[in-house]
Amino acid sequence: MSTSPHLTESFTNPENYTFPHNRLSTILHNPNKTPIVLVACGSFSPVTYLHLRMFEMAKDYVRQNTDFEIIGGYLSPVSDMYKKPGLLSARHRVNMCTLAAEDSDTWLMVDPWEAFQSYQRTAIVLDHFDHEINTVLGGVQTASGEKRKVRIMLLAGSDLIGTMSEPGVWTQPVNGIVQLEHILGRYGCLIVERAGTGMDQATDSLARWRSNIHLISQLIQNDVSSTKVRLFLRRGLSVRYLLPNSVVDYIEQNGLYQDETTSILSTNSNPDKGKEREAAAGASKKEAH
């Protein structure tokens, strides 16, 4: 059993990597609240307004229903090793997320750490944020100068919570620790309702961590998905007002999503990595990025 608070003793970083924290608040405005950072892991192929809207719904929920204070939010695009239909290269996906974040509120950022290396499990990704924010940056401080540790929390749609009770990646141990226990027990999550997905039933089997699972109702139903956006693009239909204009412009300028072969399967054709991708995909398919 690992004695480290993290599932790994050290973290690998992509070449020339620097953790983005330019929009991370360094001051906790209310010393009576717990500082948190929201992390959304996903393919973001492409990033949509619903992905961004999730952060706003979480912000409203946190302000009205919890003793948390959000000091930052991150989009963490998955690695190219996550084999999924319609998945563009990490370079394009990170660029689109960056454009979307720049158009958003002042607290949203994109961390390319997960995208530009081998497949990383969600539990390890959360550990990475915990390490960078609390160990490297030293957490956050109150107006009086008191240092506080920041709690990292996963932000996801309710379709993901339904997969957490299924046998597979979530229940596999890493260094003697079950990832589900690590994610929900150590960090916790905010789950945003997705159209057509029941939240209560999905959380029944996760009752032991109920205090760390925050369910957010979607008051204005929005079923925009990356899958539907890709279908529109392949059919030559407009996707404006489904995505930020800067992302639509980027897609048009780079001729993305014109056909189903425009993915990492064609842009990264190194045959030596084929078996490695297949192994990673088999392990990760149920982890619902």
Side-chain angles (χ1 to χ4, degrees), residues 57-73:
M57 286 187 280
K59 183 169 68 172
D60 286 340
Y61 175 88
V62 164
R63 184 178 65 250
Q64 296 176 355
N65 300 282
T66 75
D67 291 324
F68 300 144
E69 180 177 316
I70 298 175
I71 66 166

Side-chain angles (χ1 to χ4, degrees), residues 17-289:
Y17 171 77
T18 301
F19 179 69
H21 57 90
N22 56 305
R23 290 181 165 183
L24 195 67
S25 177
T26 58
I27 302 294
L28 182 65
H29 298 294
N30 187 337
N32 297 317
K33 296 202 170 187
T34 300
I36 66 170
V37 160
L38 304 182
V39 177
C41 299
S43 300
F44 305 117
S45 186
V47 61
T48 72
Y49 271 133
L50 181 54
H51 292 130
L52 304 177
R53 178 66 186 156
M54 285 172 58
F55 283 91
E56 291 301 302
M57 286 187 280
K59 183 169 68 172
D60 286 340
Y61 175 88
V62 164
R63 184 178 65 250
Q64 296 176 355
N65 300 282
T66 75
D67 291 324
F68 300 144
E69 180 177 316
I70 298 175
I71 66 166
Y74 287 89
L75 294 162
S76 180
V78 297
S79 164
D80 282 353
M81 301 296 287
Y82 184 76
K83 187 178 179 181
K84 182 179 179 181
L87 187 69
L88 287 185
S89 69
R91 176 177 66 86
H92 284 312
R93 290 182 289 111
V94 168
N95 286 345
M96 288 187 289
C97 285
T98 300
L99 289 170
E102 288 175 350
D103 287 345
S104 72
D105 207 341
T106 57
W107 61 287
L108 191 58
M109 293 160 280
V110 180
D111 183 14
W113 182 83
E114 182 183 1
F116 293 125
Q117 59 177 315
S118 61
Y119 174 75
Q120 301 292 322
R121 301 190 191 278
T122 299
I124 298 292
V125 175
L126 298 180
D127 280 351
H128 153 74
F129 279 97
D130 187 43
H131 171 74
E132 291 289 345
I133 292 171
N134 288 309
T135 302
V136 178
L137 297 178
V140 69
Q141 65 180 25
T142 64
S144 64
E146 178 190 355
K147 284 286 188 178
R148 294 281 184 86
K149 183 176 181 180
V150 178
R151 181 174 175 180
I152 311 301
M153 299 191 74
L154 179 67
L155 175 64
S158 55
D159 48 344
L160 178 137
I161 200 74
T163 70
M164 285 187 164
S165 59
E166 298 175 3
V169 170
W170 298 110
T171 54
Q172 290 177 1
V174 176
N175 293 336
I177 299 176
V178 174
Q179 293 179 83
L180 188 61
E181 171 83 42
H182 193 67
I183 294 170
L184 297 182
R186 176 177 174 81
Y187 297 114
C189 60
L190 287 94
I191 302 297
V192 177
E193 179 185 19
R194 295 292 295 268
T197 305
M199 293 196 291
D200 292 338
Q201 183 178 359
T203 57
D204 284 347
S205 60
L206 306 173
R208 61 180 294 195
W209 299 290
R210 185 63 187 86
S211 62
N212 280 345
I213 301 174
H214 300 267
L215 304 179
I216 305 172
S217 297
Q218 192 171 175
L219 301 179
I220 298 177
Q221 292 301 311
N222 183 341
D223 65 350
V224 173
S225 69
S226 298
T227 301
K228 292 178 180 178
V229 168
R230 292 195 300 270
L231 179 61
F232 271 42
L233 289 167
R234 288 197 299 271
R235 291 180 175 177
L237 301 176
S238 172
V239 294
R240 289 202 180 269
Y241 310 113
L242 299 178
L243 324 174
N245 281 338
S246 57
V247 176
V248 176
D249 292 341
Y250 183 90
I251 291 172
E252 292 178 350
Q253 291 164 7
N254 290 275
L256 306 180
Y257 302 113
Q258 298 303 305
D259 57 67
E260 294 187 14
T261 62
T262 310
S263 67
I264 61 169
L265 301 182
S266 60
T267 56
N268 289 349
S269 56
N270 185 347
D272 295 332
K273 292 186 178 180
K275 289 185 178 180
E276 187 179 0
R277 280 202 198 98
E278 184 178 352
S284 64
K285 190 169 289 183
K286 289 188 178 180
E287 196 166 340
H289 278 81

